[in-house]
Amino acid sequence: MSFETIKNDVHENCIPEAASNSEPTREIAKQLLEQGVAKNPGPWREHSIAVAEAAEKIALAVNEKQGEERMNPDLAYIYGLLHDIGRQEGHTYIAHVYDGYHFLSGLGYKNAARICLTHSFNLKTTDDYIGKIDISDEKFVELKSLLEATEFDDYDRLIQLLDSTCAADGTKNLEARMGDVKARYGYYPEAKWNKNFELKEYFEKLADRDFYDMI
């Protein structure tokens, strides 16, 4: 399936229960990821798959406990798979957030694009971003405006948590992954660190299960 085929078939390949905004199917999401990795090979592929698989498992666990479909497991998987799609543009930092948002928005995938936008900002601020601001001032202002206007839901929270938990080598440990980031960058904002553990507890309460047992 070529990129143009994917783009042209957006409305023919939506998950049936999607609302007014188009959603990619799992197959399209996988194709987009593989095409992106072909452009810029790297461990972000394995990381994205790990986040997707864990997101689906937690969504299923939440639904089992709640006795209803509070979260769509397919969407949880898809959003996890595509959250880092902006990395197809190269080895970048905050630019991957901006690029991913606009790439998926351009395909009509508004909700998946939102996850690209929000996954790095669990406190809904760019002030605690860990890494370089490698976009223009104009784009940075746009990104901040988009973020401020966004209301987080459980999908945003779930991918934020799992992005901070799942490593490319298959390791799934929140504290260890944050510690690795801290070692590489020299810092990890305390409030951001604490928010991740708050999110962990949030999903544990929703599912009434231990986080690591779920994933």
Side-chain angles (χ1 to χ4, degrees), residues 8 14 31 37-38 46 56 79-80 101 108 122 143 176 204:
N8 292 336
C14 296
Q31 292 285 345
V37 171
E46 287 70 27
E56 181 176 29
Y79 295 160
Y101 172 80
N122 63 9
L143 189 151
E204 286 180 327

Side-chain angles (χ1 to χ4, degrees), residues 61-214:
V62 167
N63 292 346
E64 182 179 2
K65 174 59 181 177
Q66 298 296 319
E68 61 181 4
E69 188 173 89
R70 175 168 174 147
M71 302 188 74
N72 183 318
D74 280 321
L75 290 182
Y77 179 92
I78 289 163
Y79 295 160
L81 204 65
L82 295 178
H83 78 280
D84 265 350
I85 194 64
R87 295 197 181 281
Q88 67 182 327
E89 300 302 326
H91 181 71
T92 59
Y93 296 86
I94 205 168
H96 89 279
V97 173
Y98 184 90
D99 292 338
Y101 172 80
H102 280 285
F103 174 70
L104 293 181
S105 292
L107 292 176
Y109 300 140
K110 182 178 179 181
N111 293 329
R114 190 192 74 242
I115 300 299
C116 289
L117 173 69
T118 64
H119 78 271
S120 293
F121 310 109
N122 63 9
L123 291 172
K124 203 177 177 181
T125 177
T126 59
D127 293 344
D128 60 4
Y129 183 73
I130 305 170
K132 299 176 183 178
I133 307 300
D134 53 348
I135 54 178
S136 68
D137 290 344
E138 181 180 5
K139 289 181 178 179
F140 191 43
V141 169
E142 179 191 355
L143 189 151
K144 289 195 289 186
S145 178
L146 288 167
L147 185 62
E148 289 171 1
T150 301
E151 293 296 326
F152 290 176
D153 64 17
D154 281 348
Y155 296 108
D156 298 282
R157 300 180 188 102
L158 181 59
I159 304 307
Q160 288 163 3
L161 171 61
L162 293 173
D163 183 48
S164 298
T165 300
C166 301
D169 64 1
T171 304
K172 296 176 181 176
N173 185 288
L174 178 59
E175 187 166 8
R177 180 159 165 78
M178 291 193 297
D180 176 66
V181 171
K182 184 176 182 179
R184 286 188 285 121
Y185 289 92
Y187 72 104
Y188 200 110
E190 182 178 1
K192 191 181 190 79
W193 181 291
N194 292 339
K195 182 63 175 181
N196 280 326
F197 278 102
E198 180 183 316
L199 292 174
K200 173 178 173 289
E201 293 176 5
Y202 174 76
F203 284 102
E204 286 180 327
K205 289 180 180 178
L206 280 181
D208 194 25
R209 288 181 59 187
D210 177 78
F211 176 60
Y212 296 110
D213 286 345
M214 286 188 282

